[in-house]
Amino acid sequence: MEPRPPIKHSSIAAILFLFGILGLVCAGAYFSGELGQLLSGSSTQSQPPRPGLVPFGQRQDPLPGLEEADAPLGKPAPLERTSTSYKFLAVKEDGTPLAYSPCRPIHYVVNSALAPPSWQPLVEEAVRQASVATGLVFIYDGPSTEIPSPNRSGYQPTRYGDRWAPVLIAWSTPEQVPRLTGQTVGLGGSSSIGLSNGYKAYVTGTVSLDAPQFAGIMDASNGNEIGVAVIMHELGHLVGLDHVNDPRQLMFDQASWVRQYAAGDLTGLAKLGSGPCSKDF
């Protein structure tokens, strides 16, 4: 067998150079976390993306903490007298009512397509009264074409941007909102979020008003006063009050002569405006 020719110095240098390059590639892959993927053939990430890094449009909830201050934005008006004639729609495990965070504003929009011409001062006065009683800050974001739905999503980035959807106040019909069938003039309520640390809070809601019945109310001599009271009643539900059996309260479960929040209503509303802050939702 003929002896092999000796390897030239240039060939040795080339081989060493190639091994050096391969070593750098493997080192780079190791330190970047890709070596395991290269060896196994997997292209999936070894760890899920951290919360907050999911691209906008792929999240189910907005980024937490938007507009959340370190302290409540307002305080409930002082109570001249208290009353036990109030009831909450939901109570948490610690006995406190489920409520909106007082440390961020409640944004709202209005669908006025079926509303009476004088709807705006009615809504503004009702919202003002609810804000004074709770200390919660409400911000009007303008008109909306959204129609009330029992399955309304609390996060609608296409319509409202990367935030919790604003509260929707809308004049509707029993055809659109079947629960308005009969003598029900309005409906109000909110959707809540629960976090792994046990925190719960309302994040958005809807007030639906029966347009035909509301038009009849506005035809009365004191129609504006009654109209404001109806919206105040539904805003009471929105922020967390339930019906009561006391006919002296605005949250009485039947039509009555009461036109303003009474002692029981105000006591409950003050408690609903005194919840904790949270930057976690």
Side-chain angles (χ1 to χ4, degrees), residues 71-77 102-104 131-132 134-137 273-274:
L73 303 180
K75 294 182 178 180
C103 306
R104 68 175 69 184
S131 179
V132 169
T134 59
L136 299 172
V137 173
S274 303

Side-chain angles (χ1 to χ4, degrees), residues 35-280:
L35 181 59
Q37 295 177 21
L38 291 172
L39 296 178
S40 67
S42 172
S43 62
T44 59
Q45 293 182 332
S46 59
Q47 294 180 350
R50 290 174 294 172
L53 297 183
V54 181
F56 173 59
Q58 298 180 24
R59 297 194 299 270
Q60 300 300 312
D61 298 321
L63 289 175
L66 181 65
E67 295 186 290
E68 183 80 9
D70 295 327
L73 303 180
K75 294 182 178 180
L79 298 173
E80 296 183 2
R81 65 185 184 91
T82 61
S83 168
T84 59
S85 289
Y86 64 88
K87 183 179 179 182
F88 300 123
L89 284 169
V91 178
K92 296 181 288 187
E93 293 181 358
D94 61 2
T96 59
L98 187 60
Y100 282 88
S101 168
C103 306
R104 68 175 69 184
I106 299 174
H107 291 264
Y108 72 97
V109 293
V110 178
N111 183 337
S112 61
L114 302 177
S118 60
W119 69 267
Q120 189 162 356
L122 305 182
V123 170
E124 289 176 351
E125 177 59 19
V127 168
R128 186 189 71 81
Q129 295 272 10
S131 179
V132 169
T134 59
L136 299 172
V137 173
F138 290 78
I139 296 178
Y140 176 46
D141 286 352
S144 175
T145 59
E146 184 184 1
I147 296 174
S149 167
N151 301 315
R152 184 182 189 236
S153 173
Y155 182 48
Q156 303 181 48
T158 302
R159 184 188 293 269
Y160 296 116
D162 192 15
R163 57 170 178 160
W164 293 112
V167 165
L168 172 65
I169 300 177
W171 274 262
S172 188
T173 64
E175 288 72 28
Q176 293 176 342
V177 183
R179 288 182 61 198
L180 290 175
T181 301
Q183 299 300 313
T184 304
V185 180
L187 297 167
S190 290
S191 301
S192 63
I193 184 172
L195 304 178
S196 59
N197 61 6
Y199 182 84
K200 294 180 180 180
Y202 291 129
V203 292
T204 188
T206 304
V207 169
S208 302
L209 302 166
D210 187 299
Q213 291 194 67
F214 207 92
I217 289 174
M218 298 306 296
D219 288 338
S221 58
N222 56 347
N224 284 356
E225 183 181 355
I226 300 175
V228 171
V230 168
I231 301 173
M232 287 173 61
H233 178 100
E234 302 311 329
L235 289 175
H237 288 315
L238 177 84
V239 298
L241 284 183
D242 199 353
H243 284 137
V244 294
N245 296 322
D246 185 352
R248 298 169 298 177
Q249 310 302 317
L250 186 60
M251 298 309 296
F252 184 52
D253 62 356
Q254 300 177 29
S256 71
W257 51 268
V258 181
R259 300 288 182 264
Q260 297 290 328
Y261 291 130
D265 305 315
L266 293 170
T267 302
L269 290 169
K271 292 180 180 294
L272 287 165
S274 303
C277 300
S278 177
K279 295 182 183 295
D280 297 332

